[in-house]
Amino acid sequence: MTMNNYAKARAHTNIALVKYWGKRNAALKLPTTNSLSLTLDQFYTDTSVQFDDHLTSDQVTLNNHRLDEPAARRVTDFLNIVRNQAGITTKAIVKTTNNVPTAAGLASSASGFAALAAAASKASGLTLNQRELSRLARRGSGSATRSIDGGFVEWHKGIGDRTSFATQVAPADYWDLNVIAILVNQQPKKMSSSEGMQLSQTTSPYYHEWEKLCQRDLKKLKIAIKNRNFNDLGTIAEENAMRMHALTLSAAPDFCYFDADSLKAMRLVHQLRESGIPCYFTMDAGPNVKVLVEPEHRESVVSTLQAAFGPDHIVVAAPGPGVQYFR
Ligand code: ADP
Ligand code: DP6
Ligand code: CO
């Protein structure tokens, strides 16, 4: 091996405003719909990959602990895709650190697999362009497709592996916005995103309607972004999130990502809005709520949320950058 067999990268999480919730090809992680997200500056993963001829198996640590079996398997499966592409069989030492709670609905799989895709491909000697890297990250976790770029990012569902990747709609500095994360529960969820979307897709009677709605929501969202129309952006994001959660409630067996405190947070956002402060919530596959707000109203929303949930549970994020490499 050459000196090239080591690389380290950082990728940020993203929060979908029009969400991805279902696959039409599980092996290739091809989605049923397009989705559109905002990359966040406060939540990210750092991952280093060292390919080493002396290893007989991959060794993966997350936050300095050995990964449990299904999670380690997922990383090795992903490394096999990279090895295949690079024409090598060498095993690797992977060290990854999440600056985001893992498996709590704050998109650790997005930053995790985007950082791994970047580090592993570089360490393997591959030189991938943005589009190829986005396609590769998709094979680890669908949402990771959108974490290669910063700012507003759209994932095109495509017609196959070659056409399913993400492109930037607008860079991070295009719009001065905030996403306030309310950390109501940082424990790993019981139902992973992969399992949850699969169950929704196969059992919810509303699933077909969801596919149609996403197409409409996406069109409207792109216009809202173009016009920097905050109320439209927030309305579309909040409605789309609730429609996604309706797919979990209507699945068989039914399941739910809300905690009591998630409902409390959503109610507070409605109250703030009724009192004339424009803010909107969105929620992914986990109990933690994110609130969209423009800077001029940020402080009043932050202080209300801090009073309700405690200052330690509130993180103020802004649009973040795409993948970065460490030297
Ligand atoms: P989340 O809401 O955090 O994205 P998911 O259910 O989509 O939750 O994915 C969580 C899974 O993603 C973890 O159980 C683990 O398998 C994987 N994951 C999270 N962080 C990393 C990381 N840094 N490196 C590799 N895999 C990761
Ligand atoms: C609710 O990308 O985590 O966050 O592709 O199975 O790894 P897999 O799922 P994942 O699903 C994300 C679901 C979501 C919505 C979104 O990010 O678009
Ligand atoms: Co995820």
Side-chain angles (χ1 to χ4, degrees), residues 107-110 141 143 189 193:
S108 71
S109 69
S141 175
S143 53
K189 55 187 140 183
S193 297

Side-chain angles (χ1 to χ4, degrees), residues 203-239:
T203 66
S204 171
Y206 309 141
Y207 194 80
H208 184 58
E209 203 55 37
W210 161 257
E211 294 177 286
K212 290 193 280 180
L213 280 168
C214 279
Q215 229 176 333
R216 267 180 264 161
D217 286 349
L218 200 91
K219 250 188 217 148
K220 289 193 279 174
L221 178 61
K222 286 207 255 187
I223 296 167
I225 292 170
K226 196 165 186 220
N227 299 331
R228 292 193 184 82
N229 184 326
F230 179 73
N231 285 323
D232 281 359
L233 173 125
T235 303
I236 296 159
E238 191 171 302
E239 286 177 359

Side-chain angles (χ1 to χ4, degrees), residues 102-294:
T102 302
L106 288 157
S108 71
S109 69
S111 56
F113 281 98
L116 183 63
S121 61
K122 190 174 178 208
S124 76
L126 288 168
T127 42
L128 303 184
N129 61 30
Q130 188 282 341
R131 191 169 282 197
E132 292 162 335
L133 191 53
S134 175
R135 281 173 50 209
L136 176 62
R138 191 194 78 231
R139 306 291 297 275
S141 175
S143 53
T145 313
R146 301 184 310 242
S147 271
I148 303 304
D149 271 315
F152 291 94
V153 177
E154 179 177 4
W155 176 12
H156 310 274
K157 64 178 183 168
I159 54 167
D161 170 53
R162 298 181 68 82
T163 46
S164 188
F165 51 79
T167 56
Q168 190 180 62
V169 173
D173 63 3
Y174 168 77
W175 192 347
D176 200 2
L177 277 182
N178 289 106
V179 177
I180 305 170
I182 309 169
L183 307 177
V184 305
N185 182 348
Q186 302 181 53
Q187 289 305 306
K189 55 187 140 183
K190 292 201 190 79
M191 178 82 79
S192 72
S193 297
S194 310
E195 296 163 337
M197 67 177 75
Q198 156 89 10
L199 190 55
S200 298
Q201 191 179 347
T202 50
T203 66
S204 171
Y206 309 141
Y207 194 80
H208 184 58
E209 203 55 37
W210 161 257
E211 294 177 286
K212 290 193 280 180
L213 280 168
C214 279
Q215 229 176 333
R216 267 180 264 161
D217 286 349
L218 200 91
K219 250 188 217 148
K220 289 193 279 174
L221 178 61
K222 286 207 255 187
I223 296 167
I225 292 170
K226 196 165 186 220
N227 299 331
R228 292 193 184 82
N229 184 326
F230 179 73
N231 285 323
D232 281 359
L233 173 125
T235 303
I236 296 159
E238 191 171 302
E239 286 177 359
N240 186 268
M242 288 310 242
R243 289 164 182 176
M244 184 202 107
H245 289 280
L247 296 175
T248 79
L249 301 175
S250 56
D254 62 282
F255 62 107
C256 180
Y257 288 113
F258 300 163
D259 275 3
D261 274 345
S262 320
L263 292 168
K264 176 175 153 183
M266 293 188 258
R267 240 168 241 150
L268 259 180
V269 168
H270 282 189
Q271 282 165 15
L272 279 163
R273 217 155 60 217
E274 277 154 23
S275 76
I277 297 171
C279 59
Y280 299 85
F281 66 78
T282 181
M283 260 184 89
D284 280 338
N288 300 300
V289 179
K290 297 101 195 172
V291 183
L292 296 157
V293 66
E294 288 186 297

Side-chain angles (χ1 to χ4, degrees), residues 180 297-309 314:
I180 305 170
H297 298 293
R298 182 181 57 220
E299 287 324 311
S300 40
V301 174
V302 167
S303 59
T304 303
L305 296 176
Q306 283 182 337
F309 296 96
I314 305 301

